[in-house]
Amino acid sequence: MTENLSTEIPDAAPSRLSKAERQDRIIAELGNAPALRASELALRLGVSHETIRRDLMHLDEQGQINRTYGGAARPFGSEPPLRERRDQHVAERQRIAARFVPMISPGEVLLLGAGSTTWHLARLLAGNCRDITVITNDMAVASALCTNPDIRTILLAGRVHQSEGYVYGSHTILGISAYNANWAVVGATGIGPTGAFDADDEAAGIYG
């Protein structure tokens, strides 16, 4: 009698991704979300935060991603210029503004971030509000508000972002810290499970 013997082959331990494979995964992950935090990428790929940091630095130098405040985002080239964005989704941006404006009372202080949606909001504020103070780091937002002499407009100091038309840096952050506001309205590149993200690291540094 012949006894059939079989030997179970254990599952192979999962192999670690190579550097190239890992960086391809990072790009693929950013294809599904406009921005991700470094800690989230490290968890997904099973590597240390320092490894992810080096990967992001390399991919940023290659122009394949943009490093952001605490993570990474799709390259800026995938986002239309500011002038184009102002003419996109206009109805939606105006609906957001229309929902917000009735909430503002005379004597209140607002902080408005930079961007196309806040620009639409500023235009609606200028046409409908009075006796309010608006603090902003966006030159176009400030210009829109200045059409209403009953709105006190404060443009923060800082280094000018030439393509986006806002100011940023340590002077801007210091200026924001000098004020207390009733409301703050800022934009975001996207929203994920851990919160809002901005593809522009300079803007994210201000909002943080």
Side-chain angles (χ1 to χ4, degrees):
M1 181 177 180
T2 302
E3 185 178 358
N4 292 323
L5 300 176
S6 63
T7 302
E8 183 178 354
I9 301 175
D11 292 336
S15 58
R16 297 179 67 87
L17 296 174
S18 67
K19 179 180 178 180
E21 291 171 332
R22 193 171 59 244
Q23 293 182 359
D24 285 344
R25 277 284 304 278
I26 291 172
I27 296 172
E29 293 287 346
L30 286 172
N32 298 320
L36 289 170
R37 292 194 177 278
S39 56
E40 187 176 359
L41 286 168
L43 182 64
R44 292 186 185 186
L45 301 181
V47 295
S48 69
H49 190 280
E50 182 62 24
T51 297
I52 286 295
R53 188 185 70 83
R54 290 195 298 267
D55 285 338
L56 297 183
M57 288 179 62
H58 175 77
L59 291 171
D60 181 67
E61 291 169 357
Q62 297 297 313
Q64 299 186 69
I65 67 159
N66 270 333
R67 290 185 68 198
T68 64
Y69 188 74
R74 296 172 188 168
F76 290 135
S78 64
E79 185 174 47
L82 179 60
R83 287 186 178 180
E84 290 184 24
R85 299 202 306 273
R86 286 178 184 164
D87 294 331
Q88 295 174 343
H89 311 296
V90 173
E92 291 83 351
R93 299 183 198 280
Q94 291 178 342
R95 280 200 298 269
I96 293 171
R99 290 288 299 273
F100 181 71
V101 168
M103 302 167 66
I104 306 303
S105 301
E108 291 190 321
V109 179
L110 288 70
L111 278 169
L112 288 190
S116 49
T117 301
T118 51
W119 178 74
H120 282 281
L121 173 57
R123 297 178 71 194
L124 200 59
L125 288 170
N128 294 273
C129 294
R130 57 180 300 167
D131 298 329
I132 63 172
T133 298
V134 182
I135 305 157
T136 184
N137 67 319
D138 187 303
M139 293 183 288
V141 166
S143 180
L145 292 166
C146 284
T147 61
N148 184 341
D150 292 321
I151 294 179
R152 182 187 181 210
T153 303
I154 299 173
L155 179 61
L156 296 166
R159 180 178 177 182
V160 176
H161 191 298
Q162 293 181 330
S163 63
E164 291 290 307
Y166 68 79
V167 298
Y168 65 97
S170 59
H171 287 81
T172 310
I173 295 171
L174 183 62
I176 292 173
S177 65
Y179 297 97
N180 291 317
N182 302 100
W183 303 90
V185 182
V186 299
T189 302
I191 299 176
T194 58
F197 303 93
D198 202 298
D200 188 337
D201 57 342
E202 303 294 357
I206 295 170
Y207 299 154

